Amino acid sequence: MEEQAVLEIRHVSKTIGSKKIIQDLSFEVYPGEVFGFLGPNGAGKTTLIRMIVGLMKMNKGDILIHGQTIKGRFEEAIRHVGAIVENPEMYKFLSGKRNLLHYARMFPGGIPQARISEVVELVGLKNRINEKVKTYSLGMRQRLGVAQALLHRPSLLILDEPTNGLDPAGIRELRDYLRRLAREEGIAIVVSSHLLSEMELMCDRVAIIQQGKLIDIQNLRGEGAAEAQTSYFFEVNDPAVAQAIVQEVDPALPVVLRPDGIEISAGRERAADIGTLLVQAGLRLYTMKPLTQSLEDKFLKITGSDQIA
């Protein structure tokens, strides 16, 4: 049985005046994955997030959360969502705990004290939660914002530029926390960011959006990513002989001759077989390594853009 998507974007379009902001976007986000939005300035990432959480209306299409449309069943749909669309706003003169207590009282029926303690532990603020928010670092405030968004046990967490203003240590801390949250709690997390290197480390999949259109979805982890072909470089003592051996065994496999070795495009298992073949043929194999593209390389190749934001 196929796993049900937490979030479904179905042919969504948004026009403001004569400008097309979002054009026929469709994709799904599943439980336990970190899903990223990437795109140049003005690509429509924030507009899409605002439509998901009901801050803007779409012109066409539909958005479903756990199968509930936000058009006709907004309250039922949005109860599954926790979100930080801008920087989390807190009462700085109150402690982190008092902020969470104040927010918890807004929910019908309230939120148990045990749940507040649970999310404080989850985001790693147990030792500082009774201190005033004005003493917190930016990274701590972001984590307090995440704690606030998690109080009502959402199954979808949406974060717009969560690493803005964080130092490298804070970025790493938030990234590791979000990945753990998705893995251990099974929450679907949607993240928008302009830091491609961080998205590569943080996300399972990323949607590349340009001029409001979905250009591609890159699978960064999991089965599809593992099976994808890449380029492998074999450093050998006689590259010409290595090229001849590989082409004799598999004439259809392109082999690029380099001064210090050969380069082929193949899956991991096939590359390992070729390495064994070269050694058995008497060649000295010094190294065998994948030549992978970074997410930034893929992004620029797909969009043809040098504006990454």
Side-chain angles (χ1 to χ4, degrees):
M1 184 177 176
E2 188 175 344
E3 190 173 30
Q4 183 184 8
V6 175
L7 172 66
E8 298 174 67
I9 307 295
R10 294 183 177 177
H11 303 289
V12 170
S13 296
K14 175 66 177 178
T15 302
I16 299 177
S18 60
K19 187 175 182 182
K20 295 179 179 178
I21 308 298
I22 299 291
Q23 302 184 56
D24 196 33
L25 279 189
S26 293
F27 58 84
E28 297 85 33
V29 181
Y30 293 92
E33 76 168 332
V34 183
F35 188 94
F37 292 156
L38 287 176
N41 286 327
K45 305 185 301 295
T46 297
T47 298
L48 179 59
I49 287 176
R50 287 179 172 274
M51 287 192 293
I52 293 171
V53 298
L55 295 177
M56 294 180 75
K57 290 186 177 180
M58 67 199 93
N59 298 114
K60 294 181 181 178
D62 202 358
I63 295 172
L64 285 80
I65 301 168
H66 278 293
Q68 303 283 352
T69 172
I70 68 168
K71 282 183 173 180
R73 305 180 67 88
F74 180 74
E75 288 188 9
E76 292 93 331
I78 206 67
R79 68 185 177 86
H80 297 288
V81 179
I84 302 175
V85 179
E86 304 290 347
N87 288 330
E89 293 296 330
M90 301 290 172
Y91 294 106
K92 296 179 182 178
F93 58 89
L94 295 178
S95 69
K97 186 172 184 178
R98 294 292 299 174
N99 269 278
L100 293 181
L101 287 168
H102 178 71
Y103 187 72
R105 284 194 289 266
M106 297 180 187
F107 288 92
I111 289 174
Q113 176 66 47
R115 177 58 182 169
I116 296 175
S117 300
E118 186 180 346
V119 295
V120 168
E121 182 83 34
L122 204 59
V123 301
L125 284 177
K126 185 177 179 180
N127 294 332
R128 300 286 301 276
I129 197 64
N130 291 312
E131 297 178 22
K132 291 183 177 180
V133 170
K134 66 181 181 182
T135 68
Y136 285 11
S137 67
L138 191 54
M140 291 172 65
R141 291 180 195 175
Q142 288 282 33
R143 282 188 285 148
L144 185 62
V146 172
Q148 176 181 292
L150 290 174
L151 277 178
H152 62 297
R153 299 184 185 276
S155 53
L156 174 63
L157 181 63
I158 299 174
L159 306 173
D160 188 16
E161 297 281 357
T163 57
N164 262 0
L166 297 184
D167 60 20
I171 291 173
R172 179 175 182 178
E173 183 178 55
L174 184 65
R175 174 228 307 162
D176 291 346
Y177 166 67
L178 292 177
R179 286 208 55 78
R180 189 174 71 251
L181 188 65
R183 184 176 63 249
E184 296 178 4
E185 301 292 317
I187 296 175
I189 300 176
V190 173
V191 180
S192 168
S193 178
H194 66 283
L195 298 175
L196 292 185
S197 59
E198 272 309 310
M199 293 289 267
E200 191 163 24
L201 293 169
M202 186 187 302
C203 298
D204 299 294
R205 293 188 298 149
V206 293
I208 297 175
I209 301 171
Q210 187 177 39
Q211 295 178 347
K213 296 179 181 179
L214 179 64
I215 304 300
D216 191 29
I217 292 181
Q218 291 279 323
N219 190 1
L220 303 181
R221 289 177 181 80
E223 189 176 335
E227 293 178 353
Q229 288 200 344
T230 188
S231 294
Y232 283 87
F233 172 67
F234 299 82
E235 184 183 5
V236 294
N237 61 321
D238 195 330
V241 170
Q243 182 186 42
I245 290 170
V246 175
Q247 288 183 330
E248 182 179 354
V249 173
D250 190 350
L253 183 66
V255 183
V256 178
L257 184 64
R258 288 176 32 175
D260 50 350
I262 60 171
E263 185 180 324
I264 64 167
S265 293
R268 194 167 92 171
E269 293 301 319
R270 182 67 179 136
D273 291 341
I274 289 172
T276 301
L277 178 69
L278 296 177
V279 172
Q280 289 175 343
L283 290 174
R284 296 187 66 82
L285 177 60
Y286 301 116
T287 59
M288 181 188 98
K289 61 182 179 181
L291 304 174
T292 57
Q293 283 186 313
S294 68
L295 181 58
E296 182 173 0
D297 294 332
K298 294 175 183 175
F299 179 90
L300 295 176
K301 182 178 181 180
I302 291 168
T303 64
S305 170
D306 58 1
Q307 293 183 345
I308 308 169

